[in-house]
Amino acid sequence: EVQLVESGGGLVQPGGSLRLSCAASGFTFSNYDMHWVRQAPEKGLEWVSSIGTAGDTYYLGSVKGRFTISRENAKNSLYLQMNSLRAGDTAVYYCARAETTVTTGGYTEYFQHWGQGTLVTVSS
Amino acid sequence: QSALTQPASVSGSPGQSITISCTGTSSDVGSYSLVSWYQHHPGKAPKLMIYEGTKRPSGVSYRFSGSKSGSTASLTISGLQAEDEADYYCCSYVSSAVFGGGTKLTVL
């Protein structure tokens, strides 16, 4: 059974840092692209960042330069280092495993497996 | 990419059918990207309901179906049940993912 368990959330002051972790089990972690998706209070889902099997990374524009996604395949773990945090980063952060489909124009991804989320609150 | 456009809310009575639209552009929904749909109950992990535009994962009720016309994707739920009440999100992936704003489904 695929399991994704996030940890590392908490209360942090504006300008502070936090490192989220996602422990994966039940599948060959190194074979899958992995993503972070967040949901701010009373808002919708928002994609944050992704990392491919080759270590290629992508970021939402508003977090680029502040957040760093990484993975440690030997530990079946995904990370999100969040620096210079702002009130607008307050959200539940989910990690998700991507399924990749090759299409006529390239490839596309969707998320079949999600963690339960970890809450990050940025407030003084 | 800009967020995809969904209606903020839809409602229906038990047994009825409803459709949630998801409008994008020729660069996302209208491109080679295949839309996925997620059901989200507050406090729980989102659940994949439709992938590659029209396919249902194992375990998802046949009452859920997806379609696309041009740059608009749609999720139809037939035979509405109380348990279907939730937030629904579409998602398009072209090098990065973009979600719709979400639609709150109320079963009257």
Side-chain angles (χ1 to χ4, degrees), chain A residues 60-122:
Chain A
L60 178 68
S62 62
V63 309
K64 201 173 295 186
R66 300 189 298 123
F67 290 11
T68 301
I69 189 172
S70 61
R71 64 192 301 161
E72 192 166 356
N73 292 336
K75 293 188 175 181
N76 293 328
S77 292
L78 175 72
Y79 305 104
L80 187 66
Q81 177 67 44
M82 303 186 296
N83 299 330
S84 302
L85 282 162
R86 308 166 180 168
D89 297 317
T90 294
V92 174
Y93 284 74
Y94 298 96
C95 69
R97 190 186 90 172
E99 315 299 322
T100 302
T101 300
V102 176
T103 68
T104 54
Y107 72 96
T108 190
E109 296 193 338
Y110 58 92
F111 313 115
Q112 182 156 17
H113 298 282
W114 299 68
Q116 289 296 316
T118 186
L119 176 61
V120 172
T121 303
V122 184

Side-chain angles (χ1 to χ4, degrees), chain B residues 2-5 21-30 70-73 90 92:
Chain B
S2 300
L4 308 178
T5 300
S21 61
C22 170
T23 302
T25 69
S26 58
S27 298
D28 41 56
V29 177
S71 297
T72 297
C90 61
S92 174

Side-chain angles (χ1 to χ4, degrees), chain A residues 39 44 94 101 103 108 110-111 115, chain B residues 32 38 40 45 51-52 89 93:
Chain A
Q39 183 180 34
Y94 298 96
T101 300
T103 68
T108 190
Y110 58 92
F111 313 115
Chain B
Y32 62 84
Y38 302 87
H40 193 203
Y51 66 101
E52 296 180 11
Y89 295 89
Y93 183 94

